[in-house]
Short mmCIF file of all heavy atoms in Angstrom, two decimals:
data_model
loop_
_atom_site.label_atom_id
_atom_site.label_comp_id
_atom_site.label_asym_id
_atom_site.label_seq_id
_atom_site.Cartn_x
_atom_site.Cartn_y
_atom_site.Cartn_z
N HIS A 26 10.64 7.64 -41.32
CA HIS A 26 11.14 7.48 -42.69
C HIS A 26 10.19 8.12 -43.73
O HIS A 26 9.90 7.51 -44.76
CB HIS A 26 11.37 6.02 -43.04
CG HIS A 26 12.50 5.39 -42.31
ND1 HIS A 26 13.80 5.81 -42.43
CD2 HIS A 26 12.52 4.37 -41.41
CE1 HIS A 26 14.58 5.08 -41.65
NE2 HIS A 26 13.83 4.20 -41.01
N GLY A 27 9.72 9.32 -43.43
CA GLY A 27 8.85 10.04 -44.37
C GLY A 27 7.39 9.68 -44.31
O GLY A 27 6.59 10.27 -45.00
N PHE A 28 7.03 8.70 -43.48
CA PHE A 28 5.63 8.30 -43.33
C PHE A 28 5.11 8.85 -42.00
O PHE A 28 5.87 9.06 -41.05
CB PHE A 28 5.51 6.78 -43.31
CG PHE A 28 5.85 6.13 -44.61
CD1 PHE A 28 7.11 5.60 -44.82
CD2 PHE A 28 4.91 6.05 -45.63
CE1 PHE A 28 7.43 5.00 -46.02
CE2 PHE A 28 5.24 5.46 -46.84
CZ PHE A 28 6.49 4.93 -47.05
N ILE A 29 3.83 9.04 -41.92
CA ILE A 29 3.17 9.40 -40.65
C ILE A 29 2.41 8.18 -40.18
O ILE A 29 1.48 7.71 -40.86
CB ILE A 29 2.22 10.61 -40.82
CG1 ILE A 29 2.98 11.83 -41.31
CG2 ILE A 29 1.51 10.89 -39.49
CD1 ILE A 29 4.00 12.41 -40.35
N LEU A 30 2.81 7.65 -39.03
CA LEU A 30 2.12 6.51 -38.42
C LEU A 30 1.10 7.06 -37.43
O LEU A 30 1.39 8.00 -36.70
CB LEU A 30 3.13 5.63 -37.68
CG LEU A 30 4.30 5.10 -38.53
CD1 LEU A 30 5.31 4.40 -37.63
CD2 LEU A 30 3.80 4.16 -39.60
N ASP A 31 -0.08 6.46 -37.40
CA ASP A 31 -1.10 6.93 -36.45
C ASP A 31 -1.49 5.78 -35.53
O ASP A 31 -0.89 4.70 -35.54
CB ASP A 31 -2.31 7.52 -37.17
CG ASP A 31 -3.02 6.53 -38.08
OD1 ASP A 31 -2.84 5.31 -37.92
OD2 ASP A 31 -3.78 6.99 -38.95
N LYS A 32 -2.54 6.00 -34.72
CA LYS A 32 -2.89 5.02 -33.69
C LYS A 32 -3.29 3.67 -34.25
O LYS A 32 -3.25 2.67 -33.55
CB LYS A 32 -3.96 5.58 -32.76
CG LYS A 32 -5.26 5.94 -33.41
CD LYS A 32 -6.17 6.58 -32.39
CE LYS A 32 -7.47 7.03 -33.01
NZ LYS A 32 -8.31 7.67 -32.01
N GLU A 33 -3.64 3.59 -35.54
CA GLU A 33 -3.95 2.29 -36.15
C GLU A 33 -2.70 1.49 -36.45
O GLU A 33 -2.78 0.28 -36.65
CB GLU A 33 -4.77 2.51 -37.43
CG GLU A 33 -6.14 3.06 -37.15
CD GLU A 33 -6.95 3.29 -38.42
OE1 GLU A 33 -6.52 2.82 -39.48
OE2 GLU A 33 -7.99 3.94 -38.32
N ASN A 34 -1.53 2.15 -36.48
CA ASN A 34 -0.27 1.47 -36.78
C ASN A 34 0.59 1.25 -35.55
O ASN A 34 1.68 0.70 -35.67
CB ASN A 34 0.56 2.30 -37.77
CG ASN A 34 -0.21 2.72 -39.01
OD1 ASN A 34 -0.51 3.88 -39.15
ND2 ASN A 34 -0.53 1.78 -39.86
N LEU A 35 0.15 1.72 -34.38
CA LEU A 35 1.03 1.79 -33.22
C LEU A 35 0.47 1.04 -32.02
O LEU A 35 -0.73 1.05 -31.76
CB LEU A 35 1.26 3.26 -32.83
CG LEU A 35 1.85 4.14 -33.90
CD1 LEU A 35 1.79 5.60 -33.49
CD2 LEU A 35 3.27 3.74 -34.22
N TRP A 36 1.38 0.42 -31.30
CA TRP A 36 1.12 -0.14 -29.97
C TRP A 36 1.95 0.67 -29.01
O TRP A 36 3.15 0.82 -29.21
CB TRP A 36 1.57 -1.61 -29.91
CG TRP A 36 0.74 -2.54 -30.75
CD1 TRP A 36 0.90 -2.81 -32.07
CD2 TRP A 36 -0.37 -3.29 -30.31
NE1 TRP A 36 -0.05 -3.71 -32.48
CE2 TRP A 36 -0.84 -4.02 -31.41
CE3 TRP A 36 -1.04 -3.41 -29.10
CZ2 TRP A 36 -1.94 -4.87 -31.34
CZ3 TRP A 36 -2.12 -4.27 -29.02
CH2 TRP A 36 -2.56 -4.97 -30.13
N ILE A 37 1.33 1.18 -27.95
CA ILE A 37 2.01 2.10 -27.04
C ILE A 37 2.11 1.48 -25.64
O ILE A 37 1.13 0.93 -25.14
CB ILE A 37 1.26 3.45 -26.97
CG1 ILE A 37 1.22 4.07 -28.36
CG2 ILE A 37 1.90 4.38 -25.96
CD1 ILE A 37 0.40 5.32 -28.44
N ASP A 38 3.27 1.63 -25.04
CA ASP A 38 3.48 1.22 -23.65
C ASP A 38 2.52 2.04 -22.79
O ASP A 38 2.58 3.27 -22.79
CB ASP A 38 4.93 1.51 -23.26
CG ASP A 38 5.26 1.12 -21.84
OD1 ASP A 38 4.33 0.80 -21.05
OD2 ASP A 38 6.45 1.15 -21.48
N GLU A 39 1.61 1.37 -22.08
CA GLU A 39 0.57 2.09 -21.33
C GLU A 39 1.13 3.02 -20.27
O GLU A 39 0.46 3.96 -19.83
CB GLU A 39 -0.42 1.13 -20.72
CG GLU A 39 0.13 0.27 -19.59
CD GLU A 39 -0.90 -0.64 -18.99
OE1 GLU A 39 -2.12 -0.45 -19.23
OE2 GLU A 39 -0.51 -1.56 -18.27
N TYR A 40 2.36 2.81 -19.87
CA TYR A 40 3.00 3.68 -18.88
C TYR A 40 3.04 5.13 -19.37
O TYR A 40 3.03 6.05 -18.58
CB TYR A 40 4.42 3.17 -18.61
CG TYR A 40 5.18 3.99 -17.60
CD1 TYR A 40 4.98 3.79 -16.25
CD2 TYR A 40 6.10 4.96 -18.01
CE1 TYR A 40 5.69 4.53 -15.32
CE2 TYR A 40 6.79 5.71 -17.09
CZ TYR A 40 6.60 5.49 -15.75
OH TYR A 40 7.29 6.24 -14.83
N TRP A 41 3.08 5.31 -20.68
CA TRP A 41 3.17 6.66 -21.25
C TRP A 41 1.83 7.31 -21.51
O TRP A 41 1.78 8.44 -21.98
CB TRP A 41 3.98 6.61 -22.55
CG TRP A 41 5.42 6.52 -22.23
CD1 TRP A 41 6.21 5.41 -22.24
CD2 TRP A 41 6.26 7.60 -21.82
NE1 TRP A 41 7.47 5.73 -21.85
CE2 TRP A 41 7.54 7.07 -21.60
CE3 TRP A 41 6.04 8.96 -21.62
CZ2 TRP A 41 8.60 7.85 -21.18
CZ3 TRP A 41 7.11 9.73 -21.20
CH2 TRP A 41 8.37 9.18 -20.99
N LEU A 42 0.73 6.65 -21.21
CA LEU A 42 -0.57 7.24 -21.44
C LEU A 42 -0.96 8.10 -20.24
O LEU A 42 -0.93 7.64 -19.10
CB LEU A 42 -1.62 6.16 -21.69
CG LEU A 42 -1.40 5.35 -22.96
CD1 LEU A 42 -2.44 4.26 -23.06
CD2 LEU A 42 -1.36 6.23 -24.20
N GLN A 43 -1.32 9.33 -20.52
CA GLN A 43 -1.71 10.26 -19.46
C GLN A 43 -2.90 9.67 -18.70
O GLN A 43 -3.83 9.16 -19.31
CB GLN A 43 -2.08 11.60 -20.08
CG GLN A 43 -1.88 12.76 -19.15
CD GLN A 43 -2.00 14.06 -19.91
OE1 GLN A 43 -2.79 14.19 -20.82
NE2 GLN A 43 -1.21 15.03 -19.51
N GLY A 44 -2.83 9.73 -17.38
CA GLY A 44 -3.89 9.18 -16.55
C GLY A 44 -3.66 7.74 -16.12
O GLY A 44 -4.42 7.19 -15.35
N HIS A 45 -2.60 7.11 -16.66
CA HIS A 45 -2.29 5.72 -16.28
C HIS A 45 -1.94 5.70 -14.79
O HIS A 45 -1.17 6.51 -14.31
CB HIS A 45 -1.12 5.17 -17.10
CG HIS A 45 -0.67 3.82 -16.64
ND1 HIS A 45 -1.42 2.70 -16.85
CD2 HIS A 45 0.43 3.44 -15.96
CE1 HIS A 45 -0.78 1.67 -16.33
NE2 HIS A 45 0.34 2.09 -15.80
N THR A 46 -2.56 4.78 -14.04
CA THR A 46 -2.36 4.70 -12.59
C THR A 46 -1.63 3.41 -12.24
O THR A 46 -1.95 2.35 -12.77
CB THR A 46 -3.71 4.75 -11.85
OG1 THR A 46 -4.35 5.99 -12.18
CG2 THR A 46 -3.54 4.67 -10.36
N ARG A 47 -0.64 3.55 -11.36
CA ARG A 47 0.07 2.38 -10.83
C ARG A 47 0.01 2.45 -9.31
O ARG A 47 0.17 3.51 -8.72
CB ARG A 47 1.53 2.39 -11.27
CG ARG A 47 1.68 2.05 -12.71
CD ARG A 47 3.09 1.68 -13.01
NE ARG A 47 3.14 1.21 -14.40
CZ ARG A 47 4.21 0.82 -15.00
NH1 ARG A 47 5.34 0.85 -14.38
NH2 ARG A 47 4.17 0.41 -16.24
N THR A 48 -0.17 1.30 -8.71
CA THR A 48 -0.19 1.21 -7.25
C THR A 48 0.99 0.37 -6.79
O THR A 48 1.23 -0.71 -7.33
CB THR A 48 -1.51 0.58 -6.75
OG1 THR A 48 -2.58 1.39 -7.21
CG2 THR A 48 -1.55 0.50 -5.23
N HIS A 49 1.72 0.89 -5.84
CA HIS A 49 2.86 0.20 -5.27
C HIS A 49 2.54 -0.17 -3.82
O HIS A 49 2.01 0.64 -3.08
CB HIS A 49 4.10 1.10 -5.28
CG HIS A 49 4.31 1.78 -6.60
ND1 HIS A 49 4.92 1.16 -7.66
CD2 HIS A 49 3.97 3.03 -7.04
CE1 HIS A 49 4.95 1.98 -8.69
NE2 HIS A 49 4.39 3.12 -8.33
N LYS A 50 2.84 -1.38 -3.46
CA LYS A 50 2.61 -1.84 -2.09
C LYS A 50 3.88 -2.44 -1.55
O LYS A 50 4.67 -3.01 -2.31
CB LYS A 50 1.48 -2.89 -2.04
CG LYS A 50 0.13 -2.36 -2.41
CD LYS A 50 -0.92 -3.43 -2.32
CE LYS A 50 -2.27 -2.84 -2.72
NZ LYS A 50 -3.33 -3.81 -2.53
N GLY A 51 4.08 -2.35 -0.25
CA GLY A 51 5.25 -2.93 0.34
C GLY A 51 5.27 -2.79 1.84
O GLY A 51 4.28 -2.41 2.47
N HIS A 52 6.42 -3.08 2.40
CA HIS A 52 6.60 -2.98 3.85
C HIS A 52 7.99 -2.35 4.07
O HIS A 52 8.96 -2.75 3.43
CB HIS A 52 6.55 -4.36 4.49
CG HIS A 52 6.59 -4.31 5.99
ND1 HIS A 52 5.46 -4.11 6.73
CD2 HIS A 52 7.62 -4.41 6.85
CE1 HIS A 52 5.79 -4.09 8.02
NE2 HIS A 52 7.09 -4.27 8.11
N ILE A 53 8.02 -1.37 4.95
CA ILE A 53 9.28 -0.68 5.20
C ILE A 53 9.67 -0.85 6.67
O ILE A 53 8.83 -0.73 7.56
CB ILE A 53 9.21 0.80 4.82
CG1 ILE A 53 10.57 1.47 4.90
CG2 ILE A 53 8.17 1.55 5.63
CD1 ILE A 53 10.63 2.84 4.27
N VAL A 54 10.95 -1.19 6.87
CA VAL A 54 11.52 -1.29 8.23
C VAL A 54 12.72 -0.35 8.23
O VAL A 54 13.63 -0.54 7.43
CB VAL A 54 11.91 -2.72 8.58
CG1 VAL A 54 12.58 -2.75 9.95
CG2 VAL A 54 10.72 -3.65 8.55
N SER A 55 12.68 0.64 9.11
CA SER A 55 13.75 1.61 9.16
C SER A 55 13.64 2.37 10.47
O SER A 55 12.98 1.91 11.40
CB SER A 55 13.63 2.56 7.96
OG SER A 55 14.75 3.43 7.89
N ALA A 56 14.28 3.52 10.54
CA ALA A 56 14.20 4.39 11.71
C ALA A 56 14.43 5.83 11.25
O ALA A 56 15.12 6.07 10.26
CB ALA A 56 15.23 4.00 12.75
N THR A 57 13.82 6.74 11.97
CA THR A 57 14.04 8.17 11.67
C THR A 57 15.45 8.55 12.12
O THR A 57 16.09 7.85 12.90
CB THR A 57 13.02 9.05 12.39
OG1 THR A 57 13.18 8.88 13.82
CG2 THR A 57 11.60 8.72 11.98
N GLN A 58 15.91 9.69 11.65
CA GLN A 58 17.21 10.19 12.08
C GLN A 58 17.09 10.74 13.50
O GLN A 58 16.03 11.18 13.94
CB GLN A 58 17.67 11.31 11.15
CG GLN A 58 17.96 10.83 9.74
CD GLN A 58 18.42 11.96 8.84
OE1 GLN A 58 18.37 13.14 9.21
NE2 GLN A 58 18.88 11.60 7.66
N TYR A 59 18.20 10.71 14.21
CA TYR A 59 18.21 11.27 15.56
C TYR A 59 18.02 12.77 15.49
O TYR A 59 18.54 13.45 14.59
CB TYR A 59 19.54 10.94 16.25
CG TYR A 59 19.58 9.55 16.81
CD1 TYR A 59 20.02 8.49 16.03
CD2 TYR A 59 19.12 9.28 18.10
CE1 TYR A 59 20.03 7.19 16.52
CE2 TYR A 59 19.14 7.99 18.61
CZ TYR A 59 19.58 6.95 17.81
OH TYR A 59 19.59 5.68 18.31
N ARG A 60 17.25 13.30 16.41
CA ARG A 60 17.03 14.74 16.50
C ARG A 60 17.53 15.19 17.88
O ARG A 60 17.36 14.52 18.87
CB ARG A 60 15.54 15.06 16.41
CG ARG A 60 14.98 14.52 15.08
CD ARG A 60 13.86 15.27 14.58
NE ARG A 60 14.19 16.66 14.37
CZ ARG A 60 13.28 17.57 14.03
NH1 ARG A 60 12.03 17.21 13.93
NH2 ARG A 60 13.60 18.82 13.86
N ALA A 61 18.13 16.34 17.85
CA ALA A 61 18.69 16.87 19.11
C ALA A 61 17.55 17.28 20.03
O ALA A 61 16.53 17.79 19.59
CB ALA A 61 19.58 18.08 18.80
N GLY A 62 17.74 17.01 21.30
CA GLY A 62 16.74 17.40 22.29
C GLY A 62 17.09 18.74 22.90
O GLY A 62 17.93 19.48 22.39
N GLY A 63 16.45 19.06 23.97
CA GLY A 63 16.75 20.35 24.58
C GLY A 63 16.17 20.43 25.98
O GLY A 63 15.51 19.53 26.46
N SER A 64 16.45 21.47 26.62
CA SER A 64 15.94 21.90 27.93
C SER A 64 16.40 21.02 29.09
O SER A 64 15.97 21.23 30.22
CB SER A 64 14.41 22.00 27.93
OG SER A 64 13.81 20.73 27.95
N GLY A 65 17.22 20.01 28.85
CA GLY A 65 17.78 19.22 29.94
C GLY A 65 16.86 18.12 30.45
O GLY A 65 17.27 17.32 31.28
N TYR A 66 15.63 18.05 29.99
CA TYR A 66 14.72 16.98 30.44
C TYR A 66 14.97 15.70 29.62
O TYR A 66 15.19 15.75 28.42
CB TYR A 66 13.25 17.40 30.27
CG TYR A 66 12.86 18.54 31.18
CD1 TYR A 66 12.69 19.82 30.66
CD2 TYR A 66 12.66 18.32 32.54
CE1 TYR A 66 12.33 20.87 31.47
CE2 TYR A 66 12.30 19.36 33.37
CZ TYR A 66 12.14 20.62 32.84
OH TYR A 66 11.79 21.67 33.66
N ALA A 67 14.87 14.55 30.29
CA ALA A 67 15.15 13.25 29.66
C ALA A 67 14.23 13.00 28.47
O ALA A 67 14.65 12.45 27.44
CB ALA A 67 15.03 12.13 30.67
N GLU A 68 12.96 13.38 28.58
CA GLU A 68 12.01 13.09 27.49
C GLU A 68 12.29 13.91 26.25
O GLU A 68 11.74 13.64 25.19
CB GLU A 68 10.56 13.29 27.96
CG GLU A 68 10.24 14.68 28.43
CD GLU A 68 10.40 14.88 29.94
OE1 GLU A 68 11.12 14.09 30.57
OE2 GLU A 68 9.81 15.81 30.45
N PHE A 69 13.16 14.92 26.36
CA PHE A 69 13.49 15.76 25.20
C PHE A 69 14.90 15.53 24.68
O PHE A 69 15.36 16.22 23.79
CB PHE A 69 13.31 17.24 25.53
CG PHE A 69 11.91 17.62 25.85
CD1 PHE A 69 11.56 18.04 27.11
CD2 PHE A 69 10.93 17.55 24.86
CE1 PHE A 69 10.26 18.38 27.40
CE2 PHE A 69 9.62 17.90 25.16
CZ PHE A 69 9.28 18.32 26.43
N GLN A 70 15.59 14.53 25.22
CA GLN A 70 16.96 14.29 24.75
C GLN A 70 16.97 13.74 23.33
O GLN A 70 15.94 13.36 22.80
CB GLN A 70 17.66 13.33 25.70
CG GLN A 70 17.16 11.91 25.68
CD GLN A 70 17.86 11.04 26.68
OE1 GLN A 70 18.88 11.40 27.23
NE2 GLN A 70 17.30 9.87 26.95
N SER A 71 18.13 13.73 22.70
CA SER A 71 18.27 13.28 21.33
C SER A 71 17.68 11.87 21.20
O SER A 71 17.96 10.98 22.01
CB SER A 71 19.75 13.26 20.95
OG SER A 71 19.90 12.79 19.63
N HIS A 72 16.82 11.66 20.16
CA HIS A 72 16.14 10.38 20.01
C HIS A 72 15.72 10.15 18.55
O HIS A 72 15.79 11.07 17.74
CB HIS A 72 14.90 10.32 20.91
CG HIS A 72 13.83 11.29 20.52
ND1 HIS A 72 13.91 12.64 20.84
CD2 HIS A 72 12.69 11.13 19.83
CE1 HIS A 72 12.85 13.25 20.35
NE2 HIS A 72 12.09 12.38 19.75
#
């Protein structure tokens, strides 16, 4: 509104500050996609 606000007038969400670090932790249970095997050997079949 025609004014210039500076850091003395502002509170900033720290997520927007360059260099802000966040750490995410968790546990994942899943499986890879099946891949086609080859050469006719059992150990190379789709798995």
Side-chain angles (χ1 to χ4, degrees):
H26 291 298
F28 294 97
I29 300 294
L30 304 172
D31 61 18
K32 61 185 177 181
E33 293 179 11
N34 309 110
L35 302 170
W36 291 86
I37 299 174
D38 180 350
E39 69 179 345
Y40 180 81
W41 282 100
L42 296 177
Q43 206 169 36
H45 174 71
T46 300
R47 287 196 173 179
T48 301
H49 313 279
K50 294 181 180 185
H52 186 84
I53 188 168
V54 176
S55 187
T57 61
Q58 295 180 350
Y59 279 89
R60 302 208 59 188
S64 75
Y66 293 105
E68 60 267 21
F69 296 114
Q70 69 182 347
S71 179
H72 65 282

